[in-house]
Amino acid sequence: MPEVRLCGVDFADLPIGAVAQRLLARPAEAPFAYVVTPNADHLARLQRLPDMPGIYAGALLRLLDSRVVARAARLVGLPVPEVVPGSDLTALLVRQAIAPEEPVTILGMEPAAVAALAARTGLRRIAHHNPPMGFDQDPAAWDRAIRFVEEHPARFIFLAVGSPRQCRLAHAIAQRGRARGTGLCIGASLLFLAGTERRAPVPVQRAGLEWAWRLAQDPRRLARRYLVDSPRVFAMLRAEARARRVAP
């Protein structure tokens, strides 16, 4: 599989259609493996969360979910993988590849949002568990989340409990070695399909301004993420470009 290394992560260099084909080719009974979709905020965390590089390295696929990072990398002369937003991949799988009668497992989301998702997509066999707030700090709740995935095998398991929790959870499930299927760390992607959150219009997405759209929708929650934390990735890209220029 072609890969491009950027910010210390080996990203799959595949268009979204090829990514979907690879995931659909995995049998439902295959040992659990997971897909991560780092964006600018996630990449900036790599420097302060020491467990994340190993978690990303253990993923089946690492997909770049940021047109902003891709454009910034090109500007400083770095090679860039294909951009495959997690929300686009989720929409493709749910709308075009998962049959209504196929079982799917969802971790996260409120029950009302899951009901709206089922009504809008036609999915009829959803196994759903919404862990309590702070479950990653509660060993019993953490174990219940892992066991729910193990006890509800599906070709696709959607992990929608926020980053970095969903990636840590996926890694823990894989380490236990009991679950089956493919875990997708997809954040709010299912909320867009359910209609409970509105995604940026396509022209805004293609312009690389989806972050600004989301910031305008929820400035109190997202201001620090987009205005303070995420921009740190630009310094990472500059440093990487300098290191590549001086490397023998």
Side-chain angles (χ1 to χ4, degrees), residues 11 14 30 35 37 39 47 50 59 64 75 82 91 99 117-118 159 161 177-178 181 187 190 194 212 214 222 239:
F11 286 101
L14 297 170
V35 177
T37 56
N39 58 27
Q47 295 183 332
L64 180 60
L75 283 174
E82 288 272 356
L117 176 70
L159 303 175
V161 293
R178 302 175 189 173
L190 290 177
R214 295 197 68 193
L222 298 176

PDB file of all heavy atoms in Angstrom, residues 11 14 30 35 37 39 47 50 59 64 75 82 91 99 117-118 159 161 177-178 181 187 190 194 212 214 222 239:
ATOM      1  N   PHE A  11       0.819   7.975   6.461  1.00  0.00           N
ATOM      2  CA  PHE A  11      -0.542   8.066   5.935  1.00  0.00           C
ATOM      3  C   PHE A  11      -0.698   7.215   4.680  1.00  0.00           C
ATOM      4  O   PHE A  11       0.194   7.183   3.814  1.00  0.00           O
ATOM      5  CB  PHE A  11      -0.881   9.509   5.584  1.00  0.00           C
ATOM      6  CG  PHE A  11      -1.125  10.397   6.770  1.00  0.00           C
ATOM      7  CD1 PHE A  11      -0.137  11.271   7.213  1.00  0.00           C
ATOM      8  CD2 PHE A  11      -2.337  10.362   7.440  1.00  0.00           C
ATOM      9  CE1 PHE A  11      -0.364  12.102   8.302  1.00  0.00           C
ATOM     10  CE2 PHE A  11      -2.572  11.180   8.532  1.00  0.00           C
ATOM     11  CZ  PHE A  11      -1.585  12.046   8.966  1.00  0.00           C
ATOM     12  N   LEU A  14      -4.062   6.865  -0.715  1.00  0.00           N
ATOM     13  CA  LEU A  14      -5.088   6.234  -1.534  1.00  0.00           C
ATOM     14  C   LEU A  14      -6.288   7.162  -1.647  1.00  0.00           C
ATOM     15  O   LEU A  14      -6.663   7.809  -0.661  1.00  0.00           O
ATOM     16  CB  LEU A  14      -5.551   4.919  -0.903  1.00  0.00           C
ATOM     17  CG  LEU A  14      -4.529   3.791  -0.764  1.00  0.00           C
ATOM     18  CD1 LEU A  14      -5.106   2.681   0.109  1.00  0.00           C
ATOM     19  CD2 LEU A  14      -4.149   3.246  -2.130  1.00  0.00           C
ATOM     20  N   ALA A  30     -13.071 -10.960  10.400  1.00  0.00           N
ATOM     21  CA  ALA A  30     -11.638 -10.695  10.515  1.00  0.00           C
ATOM     22  C   ALA A  30     -11.322 -10.142  11.898  1.00  0.00           C
ATOM     23  O   ALA A  30     -12.148  -9.446  12.507  1.00  0.00           O
ATOM     24  CB  ALA A  30     -11.206  -9.705   9.445  1.00  0.00           C
ATOM     25  N   VAL A  35      -9.220   2.140  11.984  1.00  0.00           N
ATOM     26  CA  VAL A  35      -8.813   3.196  11.062  1.00  0.00           C
ATOM     27  C   VAL A  35      -8.838   4.522  11.809  1.00  0.00           C
ATOM     28  O   VAL A  35      -9.822   4.827  12.499  1.00  0.00           O
ATOM     29  CB  VAL A  35      -9.759   3.262   9.848  1.00  0.00           C
ATOM     30  CG1 VAL A  35      -9.385   4.410   8.921  1.00  0.00           C
ATOM     31  CG2 VAL A  35      -9.758   1.930   9.100  1.00  0.00           C
ATOM     32  N   THR A  37      -8.231   8.865  11.530  1.00  0.00           N
ATOM     33  CA  THR A  37      -8.311   9.952  10.548  1.00  0.00           C
ATOM     34  C   THR A  37      -7.807  11.249  11.183  1.00  0.00           C
ATOM     35  O   THR A  37      -8.585  12.156  11.489  1.00  0.00           O
ATOM     36  CB  THR A  37      -9.762  10.125  10.056  1.00  0.00           C
ATOM     37  OG1 THR A  37     -10.619  10.343  11.190  1.00  0.00           O
ATOM     38  CG2 THR A  37     -10.240   8.884   9.315  1.00  0.00           C
ATOM     39  N   ASN A  39      -6.578  14.880  11.987  1.00  0.00           N
ATOM     40  CA  ASN A  39      -6.658  16.213  11.400  1.00  0.00           C
ATOM     41  C   ASN A  39      -5.583  17.095  12.033  1.00  0.00           C
ATOM     42  O   ASN A  39      -4.703  16.595  12.742  1.00  0.00           O
ATOM     43  CB  ASN A  39      -8.062  16.800  11.568  1.00  0.00           C
ATOM     44  CG  ASN A  39      -8.488  16.894  13.028  1.00  0.00           C
ATOM     45  OD1 ASN A  39      -7.652  16.999  13.933  1.00  0.00           O
ATOM     46  ND2 ASN A  39      -9.783  16.847  13.276  1.00  0.00           N
ATOM     47  N   GLN A  47       2.807  15.778  19.975  1.00  0.00           N
ATOM     48  CA  GLN A  47       3.952  16.229  20.751  1.00  0.00           C
ATOM     49  C   GLN A  47       3.684  16.230  22.254  1.00  0.00           C
ATOM     50  O   GLN A  47       4.628  16.268  23.038  1.00  0.00           O
ATOM     51  CB  GLN A  47       4.377  17.632  20.298  1.00  0.00           C
ATOM     52  CG  GLN A  47       4.887  17.656  18.854  1.00  0.00           C
ATOM     53  CD  GLN A  47       5.368  19.025  18.442  1.00  0.00           C
ATOM     54  OE1 GLN A  47       4.920  20.054  18.943  1.00  0.00           O
ATOM     55  NE2 GLN A  47       6.312  19.060  17.510  1.00  0.00           N
ATOM     56  N   PRO A  50       2.177  11.237  24.633  1.00  0.00           N
ATOM     57  CA  PRO A  50       3.209  10.275  24.205  1.00  0.00           C
ATOM     58  C   PRO A  50       2.684   8.933  23.732  1.00  0.00           C
ATOM     59  O   PRO A  50       3.398   8.207  23.034  1.00  0.00           O
ATOM     60  CB  PRO A  50       4.082  10.117  25.459  1.00  0.00           C
ATOM     61  CG  PRO A  50       3.216  10.552  26.604  1.00  0.00           C
ATOM     62  CD  PRO A  50       2.314  11.613  26.057  1.00  0.00           C
ATOM     63  N   ALA A  59      -2.670   1.262  13.792  1.00  0.00           N
ATOM     64  CA  ALA A  59      -3.906   1.302  13.007  1.00  0.00           C
ATOM     65  C   ALA A  59      -3.747   0.556  11.679  1.00  0.00           C
ATOM     66  O   ALA A  59      -2.660   0.497  11.103  1.00  0.00           O
ATOM     67  CB  ALA A  59      -4.321   2.739  12.736  1.00  0.00           C
ATOM     68  N   LEU A  64      -5.350  11.047   6.177  1.00  0.00           N
ATOM     69  CA  LEU A  64      -5.245  12.473   6.465  1.00  0.00           C
ATOM     70  C   LEU A  64      -6.610  13.134   6.299  1.00  0.00           C
ATOM     71  O   LEU A  64      -7.192  13.098   5.220  1.00  0.00           O
ATOM     72  CB  LEU A  64      -4.222  13.137   5.545  1.00  0.00           C
ATOM     73  CG  LEU A  64      -4.022  14.646   5.770  1.00  0.00           C
ATOM     74  CD1 LEU A  64      -3.549  14.939   7.187  1.00  0.00           C
ATOM     75  CD2 LEU A  64      -3.039  15.213   4.749  1.00  0.00           C
ATOM     76  N   LEU A  75       3.038  23.869   0.583  1.00  0.00           N
ATOM     77  CA  LEU A  75       3.673  25.184   0.556  1.00  0.00           C
ATOM     78  C   LEU A  75       5.117  25.138   1.036  1.00  0.00           C
ATOM     79  O   LEU A  75       5.955  25.915   0.568  1.00  0.00           O
ATOM     80  CB  LEU A  75       2.875  26.173   1.410  1.00  0.00           C
ATOM     81  CG  LEU A  75       1.587  26.719   0.792  1.00  0.00           C
ATOM     82  CD1 LEU A  75       0.832  27.573   1.801  1.00  0.00           C
ATOM     83  CD2 LEU A  75       1.897  27.531  -0.473  1.00  0.00           C
ATOM     84  N   GLU A  82      -3.043  11.576  -0.128  1.00  0.00           N
ATOM     85  CA  GLU A  82      -4.436  11.897  -0.458  1.00  0.00           C
ATOM     86  C   GLU A  82      -5.179  12.295   0.810  1.00  0.00           C
ATOM     87  O   GLU A  82      -4.983  11.711   1.879  1.00  0.00           O
ATOM     88  CB  GLU A  82      -5.125  10.674  -1.067  1.00  0.00           C
ATOM     89  CG  GLU A  82      -4.690  10.333  -2.467  1.00  0.00           C
ATOM     90  CD  GLU A  82      -5.504  11.068  -3.525  1.00  0.00           C
ATOM     91  OE1 GLU A  82      -6.453  11.789  -3.155  1.00  0.00           O
ATOM     92  OE2 GLU A  82      -5.200  10.901  -4.713  1.00  0.00           O
ATOM     93  N   ALA A  91     -19.858   8.627   5.222  1.00  0.00           N
ATOM     94  CA  ALA A  91     -21.032   8.812   4.379  1.00  0.00           C
ATOM     95  C   ALA A  91     -21.038   7.822   3.217  1.00  0.00           C
ATOM     96  O   ALA A  91     -22.082   7.249   2.876  1.00  0.00           O
ATOM     97  CB  ALA A  91     -21.085  10.244   3.861  1.00  0.00           C
ATOM     98  N   ALA A  99     -25.713  -2.436   3.696  1.00  0.00           N
ATOM     99  CA  ALA A  99     -27.120  -2.729   3.434  1.00  0.00           C
ATOM    100  C   ALA A  99     -27.959  -2.472   4.686  1.00  0.00           C
ATOM    101  O   ALA A  99     -27.462  -2.579   5.805  1.00  0.00           O
ATOM    102  CB  ALA A  99     -27.279  -4.178   2.994  1.00  0.00           C
ATOM    103  N   LEU A 117     -30.508   8.694  12.909  1.00  0.00           N
ATOM    104  CA  LEU A 117     -29.632   8.078  11.918  1.00  0.00           C
ATOM    105  C   LEU A 117     -30.331   6.899  11.241  1.00  0.00           C
ATOM    106  O   LEU A 117     -30.291   6.766  10.012  1.00  0.00           O
ATOM    107  CB  LEU A 117     -28.345   7.611  12.601  1.00  0.00           C
ATOM    108  CG  LEU A 117     -27.354   6.862  11.713  1.00  0.00           C
ATOM    109  CD1 LEU A 117     -26.716   7.812  10.707  1.00  0.00           C
ATOM    110  CD2 LEU A 117     -26.281   6.177  12.565  1.00  0.00           C
ATOM    111  N   ALA A 118     -30.968   6.058  12.039  1.00  0.00           N
ATOM    112  CA  ALA A 118     -31.676   4.906  11.476  1.00  0.00           C
ATOM    113  C   ALA A 118     -32.794   5.345  10.547  1.00  0.00           C
ATOM    114  O   ALA A 118     -32.989   4.771   9.468  1.00  0.00           O
ATOM    115  CB  ALA A 118     -32.227   4.044  12.613  1.00  0.00           C
ATOM    116  N   LEU A 159     -16.779   4.246  16.116  1.00  0.00           N
ATOM    117  CA  LEU A 159     -16.364   4.753  17.416  1.00  0.00           C
ATOM    118  C   LEU A 159     -16.495   6.273  17.382  1.00  0.00           C
ATOM    119  O   LEU A 159     -15.711   6.969  16.730  1.00  0.00           O
ATOM    120  CB  LEU A 159     -14.927   4.330  17.713  1.00  0.00           C
ATOM    121  CG  LEU A 159     -14.688   2.808  17.669  1.00  0.00           C
ATOM    122  CD1 LEU A 159     -13.221   2.484  17.851  1.00  0.00           C
ATOM    123  CD2 LEU A 159     -15.531   2.098  18.711  1.00  0.00           C
ATOM    124  N   VAL A 161     -16.769   8.579  20.149  1.00  0.00           N
ATOM    125  CA  VAL A 161     -16.692   9.066  21.530  1.00  0.00           C
ATOM    126  C   VAL A 161     -15.662  10.176  21.686  1.00  0.00           C
ATOM    127  O   VAL A 161     -15.258  10.502  22.795  1.00  0.00           O
ATOM    128  CB  VAL A 161     -16.393   7.910  22.505  1.00  0.00           C
ATOM    129  CG1 VAL A 161     -17.561   6.955  22.572  1.00  0.00           C
ATOM    130  CG2 VAL A 161     -15.117   7.163  22.110  1.00  0.00           C
ATOM    131  N   GLY A 177      -7.662  -8.529  21.491  1.00  0.00           N
ATOM    132  CA  GLY A 177      -7.679  -9.596  20.507  1.00  0.00           C
ATOM    133  C   GLY A 177      -8.925 -10.455  20.476  1.00  0.00           C
ATOM    134  O   GLY A 177      -8.898 -11.553  19.913  1.00  0.00           O
ATOM    135  N   ARG A 178     -10.052  -9.975  21.029  1.00  0.00           N
ATOM    136  CA  ARG A 178     -11.269 -10.784  21.064  1.00  0.00           C
ATOM    137  C   ARG A 178     -12.332 -10.303  20.082  1.00  0.00           C
ATOM    138  O   ARG A 178     -13.236 -11.066  19.733  1.00  0.00           O
ATOM    139  CB  ARG A 178     -11.852 -10.779  22.474  1.00  0.00           C
ATOM    140  CG  ARG A 178     -10.895 -11.285  23.541  1.00  0.00           C
ATOM    141  CD  ARG A 178     -11.504 -11.127  24.927  1.00  0.00           C
ATOM    142  NE  ARG A 178     -10.524 -11.407  25.972  1.00  0.00           N
ATOM    143  CZ  ARG A 178     -10.745 -11.225  27.278  1.00  0.00           C
ATOM    144  NH1 ARG A 178     -11.929 -10.768  27.690  1.00  0.00           N
ATOM    145  NH2 ARG A 178      -9.805 -11.495  28.152  1.00  0.00           N
ATOM    146  N   GLY A 181     -14.102  -7.401  13.148  1.00  0.00           N
ATOM    147  CA  GLY A 181     -14.582  -6.298  12.331  1.00  0.00           C
ATOM    148  C   GLY A 181     -13.580  -5.165  12.219  1.00  0.00           C
ATOM    149  O   GLY A 181     -12.437  -5.264  12.642  1.00  0.00           O
ATOM    150  N   GLY A 187     -15.459  10.393  15.071  1.00  0.00           N
ATOM    151  CA  GLY A 187     -15.935  11.618  15.695  1.00  0.00           C
ATOM    152  C   GLY A 187     -17.395  11.905  15.439  1.00  0.00           C
ATOM    153  O   GLY A 187     -18.265  11.084  15.695  1.00  0.00           O
ATOM    154  N   LEU A 190     -21.231  10.576  12.108  1.00  0.00           N
ATOM    155  CA  LEU A 190     -22.585  10.031  12.089  1.00  0.00           C
ATOM    156  C   LEU A 190     -23.628  11.083  12.448  1.00  0.00           C
ATOM    157  O   LEU A 190     -24.782  10.984  12.023  1.00  0.00           O
ATOM    158  CB  LEU A 190     -22.690   8.840  13.041  1.00  0.00           C
ATOM    159  CG  LEU A 190     -21.938   7.571  12.622  1.00  0.00           C
ATOM    160  CD1 LEU A 190     -22.071   6.505  13.701  1.00  0.00           C
ATOM    161  CD2 LEU A 190     -22.441   7.041  11.291  1.00  0.00           C
ATOM    162  N   ALA A 194     -27.089  11.832  10.605  1.00  0.00           N
ATOM    163  CA  ALA A 194     -28.343  11.809  11.361  1.00  0.00           C
ATOM    164  C   ALA A 194     -29.103  13.126  11.237  1.00  0.00           C
ATOM    165  O   ALA A 194     -30.299  13.188  11.526  1.00  0.00           O
ATOM    166  CB  ALA A 194     -28.067  11.509  12.826  1.00  0.00           C
ATOM    167  N   ALA A 212     -13.530  26.710   9.893  1.00  0.00           N
ATOM    168  CA  ALA A 212     -14.129  28.013  10.186  1.00  0.00           C
ATOM    169  C   ALA A 212     -15.645  27.894  10.321  1.00  0.00           C
ATOM    170  O   ALA A 212     -16.266  28.551  11.162  1.00  0.00           O
ATOM    171  CB  ALA A 212     -13.760  29.013   9.091  1.00  0.00           C
ATOM    172  N   ARG A 214     -17.299  25.206  11.362  1.00  0.00           N
ATOM    173  CA  ARG A 214     -17.585  24.561  12.644  1.00  0.00           C
ATOM    174  C   ARG A 214     -17.333  25.533  13.803  1.00  0.00           C
ATOM    175  O   ARG A 214     -18.057  25.543  14.796  1.00  0.00           O
ATOM    176  CB  ARG A 214     -16.735  23.303  12.819  1.00  0.00           C
ATOM    177  CG  ARG A 214     -17.061  22.217  11.806  1.00  0.00           C
ATOM    178  CD  ARG A 214     -16.522  20.875  12.260  1.00  0.00           C
ATOM    179  NE  ARG A 214     -17.236  20.401  13.450  1.00  0.00           N
ATOM    180  CZ  ARG A 214     -16.820  19.398  14.196  1.00  0.00           C
ATOM    181  NH1 ARG A 214     -15.693  18.770  13.888  1.00  0.00           N
ATOM    182  NH2 ARG A 214     -17.511  19.014  15.243  1.00  0.00           N
ATOM    183  N   LEU A 222     -15.079  25.283  20.472  1.00  0.00           N
ATOM    184  CA  LEU A 222     -14.056  25.002  19.478  1.00  0.00           C
ATOM    185  C   LEU A 222     -12.993  26.081  19.317  1.00  0.00           C
ATOM    186  O   LEU A 222     -12.024  25.875  18.590  1.00  0.00           O
ATOM    187  CB  LEU A 222     -14.723  24.747  18.124  1.00  0.00           C
ATOM    188  CG  LEU A 222     -15.667  23.546  18.065  1.00  0.00           C
ATOM    189  CD1 LEU A 222     -16.328  23.462  16.696  1.00  0.00           C
ATOM    190  CD2 LEU A 222     -14.926  22.259  18.377  1.00  0.00           C
ATOM    191  N   ALA A 239       9.327  22.628  10.628  1.00  0.00           N
ATOM    192  CA  ALA A 239      10.483  21.918  11.175  1.00  0.00           C
ATOM    193  C   ALA A 239      10.784  20.668  10.355  1.00  0.00           C
ATOM    194  O   ALA A 239      11.959  20.341  10.104  1.00  0.00           O
ATOM    195  CB  ALA A 239      10.221  21.556  12.640  1.00  0.00           C
TER     196      ALA A 239
END
